[in-house]
Amino acid sequence: MTENQRVTPTHVDGIPVVARPRMTVIGTGYLGATHAVCMAALGFDVLGVDVDAAKIARLSAGEVPFFEPGLQELLAETLATGRLRFTQDYAEAAAFGDVHFVCVGTPQRKDSLAADLSYVYAAVDALAPHLTRRALVVGKSTVQIGTAQALTERLHATAPAGTDVELAWNPEFLREGYAVQDTLAPDRLVFGTSSAWASAQLAAAFGPVLDRGTPLVECDLATAELVKVAANSFLATKISYINAMAEVCEATGADVNLLAKALSFDDRIGGRFLKPGLGFGGGCLPKDIRAFAARAAELGVGQAVSFLHEVDAINARRRTRTVDLVRELAGGSLQGVRVAALGAAFKPNSDDIRDAPALDVARMLHEEGAIVQVYDPEAMDNARRAYPDLTYAESMPAAVHGADVVVLLTEWAQFRTADPEMMGWLVAHRRVVDGRHALDADAYRAAGWDYRALGRPLLPRTVELAASAADEVDLATALAIAGQALAGTR
């Protein structure tokens, strides 16, 4: 036994604890598919459940329906072990599982800022009538405070096993592009439970992760629900804060990158995510801060988080200001200007275009009459479906060929490391807007480019912003963890 290895009790308060629980994962979208694959990689028997037959068929055939580094390879390995399979049958899931993870989406409602929890309730309602024995249902979806209590009452009222079915909340903290390592080697786990048995059973479900010394916070259901939205709100605030400073820098001639670097040495602030640019997007931060503000208002404490509305507004303004920079660089009008838009996904190492700043900027440029060529290494198919009116290039060289202005919108490595001299041979004019503050300003200026970035002076120099090892993709370590776990279960 290692120093950190926990001993799973056989009983808590006279109730048996399953030391090696069989798991179901309800919902096989981004969160659910990743969780199912990674839990199977840790040696558990896992059954993925979804109402979408096409999604189940693709996963069963070893195909991940979205891009996430390392997940495709891990899916193939876990399917080969026989520990992972998928179904549409909730009765089968109830009979199979000791622990049921609910991983369905909670998008923003179309009629308000609040989260749409219909998928969460539908998943629980579909599972509950088949729960005839003791089981633990674990919410991982991001929900508004009070949802867990409502679901507990729903489970107890509709499950044949009644109060033998308990509910816990285990919020996810996955970063797209880092999801495999964040599941196998998270920086913390949060368990929201209502009983000692539920805590012990959930700990057994995460035994291999806890045995690695992962910090654990055990709390009540309401706190567990709040952790995720509070974390995302803090992160969004930090990003919008430095972008607000960029607006001040634009008015004063100061350099926001030098400001960010100076602030980063203050341990009370830190440099992680203190990076100016186009702002945040994706399927989590924007909708989570809006839903949090809406729920706080319902609870009568809306004033306490009213600043989140300005956080959202600052973020949105960065997109408009990026278009302004492209227009200024093009001479005051975008009509007929050829623009190479590098990036479509909301962040690198992902094909997710939900609320993507990159595509929002490309759309606005197009609407002002620019001839926009979009290229992204992974998100092209999704972008074409969502924005069919835009024009798409098949490669980075094709996108920049003949461009009057190049604008960096997603900081993929191939864009950051492109040779400015070689790229200069392809464009019509050497003009670049660095929407992500990710390019080497000195190198571009040395190659004759007119370089612009939000919150920076006309002749900026390269500034190395603070970086964190936690933001590097460390798939080798994550997959090694999975390999060790799988080897121990063969």
Side-chain angles (χ1 to χ4, degrees):
M1 183 178 298
T2 65
E3 180 182 348
N4 294 314
Q5 194 163 353
R6 298 160 59 98
V7 177
T8 301
T10 59
H11 292 74
V12 172
D13 296 332
I15 305 170
V17 176
V18 181
R20 201 73 178 172
R22 296 201 299 182
M23 304 175 183
T24 74
V25 176
I26 301 171
T28 59
Y30 183 85
L31 167 60
T34 302
H35 191 66
V37 170
C38 289
M39 289 296 103
L42 290 174
F44 292 98
D45 291 322
V46 181
L47 182 63
V49 187
D50 206 293
V51 296
D52 188 332
K55 193 181 296 182
I56 290 296
R58 291 180 68 180
L59 288 165
S60 298
E63 181 184 352
V64 177
F66 52 85
F67 176 73
E68 177 61 36
L71 191 60
Q72 183 79 39
E73 296 81 358
L74 205 55
L75 172 62
E77 290 181 23
T78 51
L79 286 173
T81 67
R83 292 192 177 277
L84 175 64
R85 57 191 180 86
F86 299 90
T87 185
Q88 292 179 266
D89 190 341
Y90 276 89
E92 179 186 5
F96 175 88
D98 303 301
V99 177
H100 305 277
F101 288 98
V102 178
C103 298
V104 296
T106 54
Q108 185 176 324
R109 287 173 47 177
K110 295 180 180 179
D111 59 347
S112 75
L113 297 179
D116 180 357
L117 303 182
S118 60
Y119 300 105
V120 174
Y121 285 109
V124 170
D125 288 346
L127 177 68
H130 305 289
L131 296 174
T132 59
R133 61 184 175 86
R134 176 164 287 278
L136 183 64
V137 177
V138 184
K140 288 191 73 66
S141 304
T142 303
V143 297
Q144 63 188 28
I145 304 164
T147 303
Q149 182 58 44
L151 289 175
T152 297
E153 296 170 1
R154 211 158 175 140
L155 279 169
H156 290 169
T158 57
T163 56
D164 279 349
V165 177
E166 294 195 36
L167 184 82
W169 217 264
N170 166 230
E172 57 86 11
F173 303 104
L174 301 190
R175 301 167 298 162
E176 293 194 36
Y178 307 82
V180 171
Q181 68 195 61
D182 286 349
T183 304
L184 296 175
D187 55 13
R188 82 283 207 193
L189 288 171
V190 175
F191 292 173
T193 61
S194 299
S195 74
W197 173 83
S199 295
Q201 189 59 81
L202 192 50
F206 283 95
V209 179
L210 291 169
D211 287 347
R212 299 188 64 253
T214 301
L216 170 63
V217 177
E218 297 183 272
C219 58
D220 54 89
L221 291 169
T223 301
E225 290 172 311
L226 184 57
V227 169
K228 177 62 185 293
V229 292
N232 277 356
S233 295
F234 192 94
L235 175 58
T237 300
K238 190 170 186 179
I239 295 170
S240 283
Y241 171 80
I242 196 61
N243 281 329
M245 293 302 99
E247 293 186 15
V248 175
C249 287
E250 288 166 14
T252 61
D255 189 324
V256 70
N257 277 8
L258 290 171
L259 176 64
K261 184 173 183 177
L263 292 174
S264 72
F265 289 107
D266 189 326
D267 289 340
R268 300 169 300 173
I269 299 173
R272 196 174 179 202
F273 295 107
L274 198 68
K275 183 177 180 181
L278 191 48
F280 55 82
C284 290
L285 258 63
K287 64 98 174 174
D288 284 355
I289 64 172
R290 295 164 191 160
F292 187 22
R295 180 55 175 159
E298 292 174 355
L299 294 170
V301 290
Q303 187 174 4
V305 296
S306 60
F307 68 91
L308 290 177
H309 296 297
E310 184 56 29
V311 166
D312 200 8
I314 291 169
N315 192 59
R317 287 201 298 271
R318 307 320 288 160
R319 306 178 188 195
T320 304
R321 279 294 297 132
T322 299
V323 174
D324 291 343
L325 268 190
V326 176
R327 188 190 308 109
E328 291 168 14
L329 203 52
S333 171
L334 287 168
Q335 192 65 43
V337 174
R338 296 178 62 86
V339 178
L342 300 183
F346 87 95
K347 65 181 294 187
N349 301 313
S350 173
D351 64 353
D352 193 345
I353 62 165
R354 290 175 293 176
D355 204 358
L359 284 174
D360 204 15
V361 169
R363 173 191 59 80
M364 289 189 282
L365 292 168
H366 171 74
E367 289 176 351
E368 286 201 33
I371 303 168
V372 184
Q373 289 271 14
V374 179
Y375 174 70
D376 187 283
E378 294 292 342
M380 296 290 277
D381 290 342
N382 290 340
R384 283 191 181 99
R385 284 191 291 268
Y387 294 83
D389 293 340
L390 296 176
T391 302
Y392 297 90
E394 295 306 313
S395 66
M396 179 181 171
V400 302
H401 186 265
D404 297 307
V405 182
V406 175
V407 55
L408 176 68
L409 300 173
T410 309
E411 63 272 38
W412 286 92
Q414 73 176 84
F415 300 156
R416 289 188 288 105
T417 60
D419 185 331
E421 184 60 46
M422 293 183 66
M423 191 161 63
W425 299 341
L426 298 174
V427 298
H429 300 280
R430 296 192 179 195
R431 304 167 179 152
V432 62
V433 172
D434 184 359
R436 292 296 183 178
H437 292 238
L439 302 178
D440 185 335
D442 291 344
Y444 273 83
R445 288 177 55 211
W449 288 76
D450 195 348
Y451 173 96
R452 295 283 191 279
L454 295 173
R456 307 209 66 196
L458 288 179
L459 298 175
R461 60 183 178 84
T462 297
V463 178
E464 292 292 336
L465 296 174
S468 169
D471 295 323
E472 298 297 325
V473 177
D474 187 16
L475 277 176
T477 299
L479 294 176
I481 293 169
Q484 292 165 8
L486 286 170
T489 59
R490 291 186 178 116

